[in-house]
Amino acid sequence: MKTFYRVILVMLSSWLLGQEKVNTDILRGPASPASNILNIATTEISKPTDVSDLMIGIRNFPINFINNGGYSIEVAPYWIFPNKTKNKTIEQMLNDDIKYTLPQTFVFSFAARNVDESKSSDLPSNAVYTSIGIKFSLFRGKPDDKTKADFKIIQTKLDERGEYINQNFGEFLAADDEYQKAVQLRKSLQMNTPQYKEADDRVNARLKVLKEEFPKKDKYLIQSTEELGKTTLKITRTGFLWDFAGGTSIQFKEKQFDNSRVYNAGLWTVLGYATEKAGTPLFLLRYMYNPKNDWMTVDDFKPQGNFSTFDAGVKYEYSPKDSKFTGSFEGLYRSFISGSDLKPTWKCVLNLDYAIFPNQHLTLSLGKDFDNSFIKKGNVIAGLSFLSGIGTKRKIQ
């Protein structure tokens, strides 16, 4: 019943306050720093899930860049490129050791914008901008008890499946005439000869085919595959969190590549501690060089020379277990390092969020902005998480 009232509250507030876009999470390092620096929408970021998608995105880059005026891509090397030494396993995903955490969470981002005078933009017109960024985690927490229990069930099914294959695959091989003939031919030939190598290649090629066919023809394995396909593993982590993100952009004035300068840059680090029942407190430190307009305090503010800011903030997020409701409070203190004699200022926001569908959220934000104006906004926005941004087609053993 309480959840019902929360939904009504958020929906009513959204209707009364209008459907304006608002940043409801100022204290998380961006999943794509390169896109964030050039203010490219999250929905416009290309997120390849394998090498083929990546090559298609690179091939389409000139067309998208010219026609749309902007292009952005995120690449998670660990999940896209094959690893010849080790398979990507569920155990490695659950392992909180830094040697697994860092490569699995490392994301490289690239963005470019072609700004003409005819297009409205927060960036100076008649210029080309490129930016690069990275994001990674040093600590991401440990899987909770439910995650471990669900994994144990999956692991038991996989062990049973592997034991069945070991016991029955030999019989499957013995029933294949083509494989048996190839084996007999290899036995009749002298080793270290071209004929023996050719026969050995035929045996291995047929063996590879049969390994792929066995799970598709055996009734037990077909049923096992269907059961595993219906099994989901939602990884929920608790414990210490520590993320880093950074990026920089270059402006090519008059679209001349011999006339360039650093336009802006940013560094983020976020520390936190995720708990199962008490929520997730976060602490952020952020440095921004020559930040864009929406990082400044007032619309008519004009920076003097190289303008830079340093932010420190805290956030507390509460999301009941198995609930679609999330509430958070965040505050950010800003000091001006160079290019300004403005006094330090601060911002605080209360965010309420209810997930209607996996990709649509109702939100309400109330608080105080850096220029002391009152924030009161509600909207319906697309909710895109960091993990979904990495890709949804991860192949694990």
Side-chain angles (χ1 to χ4, degrees):
M1 200 64 171
K2 292 181 179 179
T3 301
F4 173 76
Y5 287 128
R6 288 169 180 161
V7 177
I8 296 299
L9 172 64
V10 176
M11 292 180 66
L12 181 61
S13 301
S14 296
W15 179 70
L16 291 174
L17 298 175
Q19 296 186 358
E20 302 176 41
K21 290 187 177 180
V22 58
N23 180 6
T24 61
D25 199 351
I26 59 175
L27 283 191
R28 282 195 183 275
S32 179
S35 307
N36 182 280
I37 284 177
L38 293 186
N39 200 26
I40 295 179
T42 305
T43 53
E44 297 178 6
I45 302 173
S46 174
K47 300 163 185 170
T49 56
D50 53 40
V51 178
S52 298
D53 287 347
L54 175 61
M55 299 309 296
I56 291 174
I58 294 176
R59 186 183 65 184
N60 293 337
F61 164 65
I63 299 175
N64 295 335
F65 178 68
I66 294 173
N67 294 340
N68 301 329
Y71 179 79
S72 181
I73 187 170
E74 292 177 9
V75 178
Y78 180 88
W79 299 109
I80 289 182
F81 300 107
N83 189 331
K84 295 181 179 180
T85 58
K86 293 183 179 179
N87 291 324
K88 298 176 176 67
T89 63
I90 299 178
E91 289 96 331
Q92 292 175 4
M93 289 182 63
L94 298 179
N95 197 312
D96 62 323
D97 194 297
I98 191 172
K99 70 179 181 180
Y100 295 111
T101 300
L102 198 153
Q104 288 178 13
T105 58
F106 183 87
V107 178
F108 172 80
S109 56
F110 169 80
R113 289 189 69 175
N114 180 17
V115 182
D116 294 325
E117 295 180 357
S118 60
K119 297 179 180 178
S120 59
S121 171
D122 54 343
L123 301 174
S125 61
N126 195 27
V128 170
Y129 300 84
T130 62
S131 65
I132 58 173
I134 60 172
K135 180 176 181 178
F136 60 90
S137 298
L138 292 183
F139 300 95
R140 55 179 175 179
K142 298 181 178 180
D144 63 3
D145 293 338
K146 185 178 185 307
T147 301
K148 293 178 181 177
D150 291 343
F151 170 64
K152 190 173 182 180
I153 294 174
I154 295 175
Q155 193 175 38
T156 300
K157 292 181 179 180
L158 291 173
D159 289 342
E160 293 174 352
R161 180 185 176 93
E163 185 177 351
Y164 180 87
I165 291 174
N166 291 335
Q167 294 177 354
N168 296 274
F169 186 59
E171 184 179 343
F172 184 72
L173 288 179
D176 187 79
D177 292 339
E178 183 179 344
Y179 176 77
Q180 293 301 324
K181 289 179 181 179
V183 171
Q184 291 301 323
L185 176 62
R186 185 178 62 179
K187 288 182 179 180
S188 65
L189 298 172
Q190 185 178 355
M191 295 182 64
N192 299 325
T193 62
Q195 293 81 3
Y196 181 90
K197 186 179 183 306
E198 183 179 350
D200 187 61
D201 290 342
R202 288 178 58 187
V203 170
N204 292 331
R206 185 58 183 168
L207 181 61
K208 182 179 179 181
V209 172
L210 292 175
K211 284 182 178 180
E212 295 176 356
E213 289 184 354
F214 185 48
K216 300 176 183 178
K217 292 184 177 181
D218 186 89
K219 292 182 179 180
Y220 171 82
L221 293 178
I222 292 174
Q223 183 180 356
S224 173
T225 301
E226 292 177 353
E227 291 178 356
L228 287 171
K230 296 177 182 178
T231 304
T232 58
L233 177 64
K234 180 181 178 182
I235 300 178
T236 303
R237 301 180 183 276
T238 59
F240 185 59
L241 314 171
W242 194 3
D243 296 342
F244 284 89
T248 184
S249 68
I250 297 177
Q251 177 191 22
F252 297 95
K253 298 180 180 180
E254 306 296 328
K255 301 185 180 182
Q256 300 294 321
F257 291 99
D258 58 350
N259 185 12
S260 63
R261 71 179 182 99
V262 174
Y263 181 70
N264 58 9
L267 291 172
W268 294 260
T269 183
V270 180
L271 298 91
Y273 194 89
T275 63
E276 187 173 350
K277 297 181 180 180
T280 305
L282 297 173
F283 176 70
L284 171 137
L285 296 174
R286 175 175 62 201
Y287 168 80
M288 289 297 296
Y289 168 78
N290 193 25
K292 55 184 182 294
N293 290 334
D294 64 346
W295 295 84
M296 301 181 187
T297 55
V298 290
D299 293 337
D300 59 351
F301 171 65
K302 295 181 179 180
Q304 305 165 4
N306 295 327
F307 175 69
S308 59
T309 62
F310 180 78
D311 299 334
V314 293
K315 173 180 178 178
Y316 178 76
E317 181 177 278
Y318 177 71
S319 180
K321 191 174 182 180
D322 300 325
S323 173
K324 297 182 178 180
F325 172 80
T326 300
S328 68
F329 177 82
E330 46 194 305
L332 192 66
Y333 179 84
R334 169 163 299 158
S335 57
F336 300 88
I337 299 177
S338 62
S340 170
D341 57 358
L342 293 176
K343 295 181 179 180
T345 183
W346 56 278
K347 175 180 182 177
C348 63
V349 182
L350 171 67
N351 298 313
L352 302 176
D353 182 289
Y354 188 85
I356 305 175
F357 301 109
N359 64 340
Q360 286 193 338
H361 293 216
L362 281 175
T363 68
L364 168 66
S365 296
L366 300 172
K368 168 197 171 296
D369 210 340
F370 288 118
D371 59 356
N372 294 321
S373 63
F374 182 63
I375 300 172
K376 51 175 183 177
K377 296 180 180 180
N379 66 336
V380 179
I381 62 173
L384 301 173
S385 69
F386 174 69
L387 288 178
S388 66
I390 290 178
T392 58
K393 297 180 182 178
R394 299 176 184 168
K395 296 179 181 180
I396 57 178
Q397 302 292 326

